[in-house]
Amino acid sequence: MKKKRSQRFYDYSLLFTIAFLIMFGLLMIYSASSYKAQLDYNGNAAYFMTRQGVIALGGFAFMILISRLDYRWYAKFYKLAIAVSWFMMIAVSFVGRRVNGKRRWLGVGPLSFQPTELVKITIIVSVAVLLVKLGRDVDRPAGIARIAMVVLPLAAIVAANNLSSGIIILGIAFVMLFVACKKQWPFYACGGLAMLAVVTAGPLAIFLEKIKLLK
């Protein structure tokens, strides 16, 4: 008797969205860099767009390859991913390439990459694994604390060098917890406080400057 082959499902709307964003991004790169590329690269106005397009094609092919793997396979390596993320973030602080005054890139020969992108993937996989392991305990303070012990230290070391990426990492964990938890009022409360902080940040900064507590 022949073994029944597993069927794979692709979210084609998501695939189309990714392809659209890639094309839109390439168009914006061309629009912003064509003049400089034409001056610096012998009239090749599409130099930067072409280079980024090759990278995008490679990333798209890698995405298809990764999608063929069973997602449960990733769970076996989440602790290793956390350790590697820590190593990368510490390494970039000491030996990373300095660009615009910040060390955010690690170089491997002619190639370079930002370790923060690895941290984002690590957080997604690690939080997903922990949510499955916790089950109903995710609504308890001990469950939230266990996830926070993984997310907050990594988010802090990323934010020390790249504030926007640190905020994104916290946002990823926040949304995943919001979806998984049955009790959602604390998330609405946190969201309300965040909105209040954004609204009052400007007037508060002006007030602090007037009383000379902020320069």
Side-chain angles (χ1 to χ4, degrees):
M1 184 177 180
K2 292 184 178 181
K3 185 178 179 180
K4 186 177 180 181
R5 296 181 62 183
S6 60
Q7 294 183 350
R8 295 183 179 275
F9 169 76
Y10 288 99
D11 187 338
Y12 290 102
S13 60
L14 179 60
L15 195 62
F16 172 79
T17 302
I18 293 171
F20 172 78
L21 289 174
I22 290 173
M23 298 302 297
F24 182 77
L26 292 175
L27 180 63
M28 291 298 101
I29 289 173
Y30 179 79
S31 176
S33 65
S34 59
Y35 179 72
K36 179 175 176 57
Q38 192 169 15
L39 292 177
D40 295 348
Y41 295 96
N42 300 321
N44 184 6
Y47 173 81
F48 293 107
M49 184 191 71
T50 303
R51 186 178 67 173
Q52 189 62 36
V54 171
I55 296 172
L57 283 175
F60 198 85
F62 187 68
M63 178 190 71
I64 297 298
L65 175 64
I66 292 296
S67 71
R68 305 292 296 179
L69 299 176
D70 190 336
Y71 66 91
R72 289 177 287 265
W73 181 78
Y74 305 131
K76 300 177 183 179
F77 304 99
Y78 86 97
K79 291 182 179 179
L80 176 62
I82 293 173
V84 171
S85 295
W86 270 104
F87 174 79
M88 291 289 188
M89 291 310 305
I90 293 172
V92 78
S93 299
F94 292 98
V95 298
R97 292 179 178 174
R98 190 179 293 275
V99 179
N100 297 326
K102 290 288 186 178
R103 293 185 185 273
R104 296 178 180 176
W105 297 81
L106 278 179
V108 181
L111 302 177
S112 59
F113 66 98
Q114 285 189 318
T116 52
E117 302 307 315
L118 172 65
V119 176
K120 292 172 186 176
I121 298 173
T122 297
I123 290 298
I124 293 171
V125 174
S126 300
V127 172
V129 173
L130 290 173
L131 288 174
V132 172
K133 288 186 174 182
L134 288 169
R136 294 182 179 180
D137 289 338
V138 71
D139 281 307
R140 298 178 181 178
I144 300 294
R146 185 176 174 184
I147 293 177
M149 288 174 63
V150 173
V151 175
L152 292 180
L154 269 175
I157 193 172
V158 170
N161 200 28
N162 191 338
L163 180 60
S164 60
S165 292
I167 293 173
I168 290 172
I169 288 169
L170 286 176
I172 290 170
F174 183 87
V175 171
M176 292 180 73
L177 278 170
F178 174 76
V179 173
C181 289
K182 187 175 181 180
K183 296 179 181 178
Q184 296 187 342
W185 66 265
F187 297 94
Y188 289 115
C190 290
L193 290 173
M195 291 298 297
L196 181 63
V198 171
V199 171
T200 59
L204 180 61
I206 295 173
F207 173 74
L208 292 176
E209 284 182 347
K210 287 183 178 180
I211 63 176
K212 298 183 179 180
L213 286 179
L214 184 67
K215 294 181 180 181

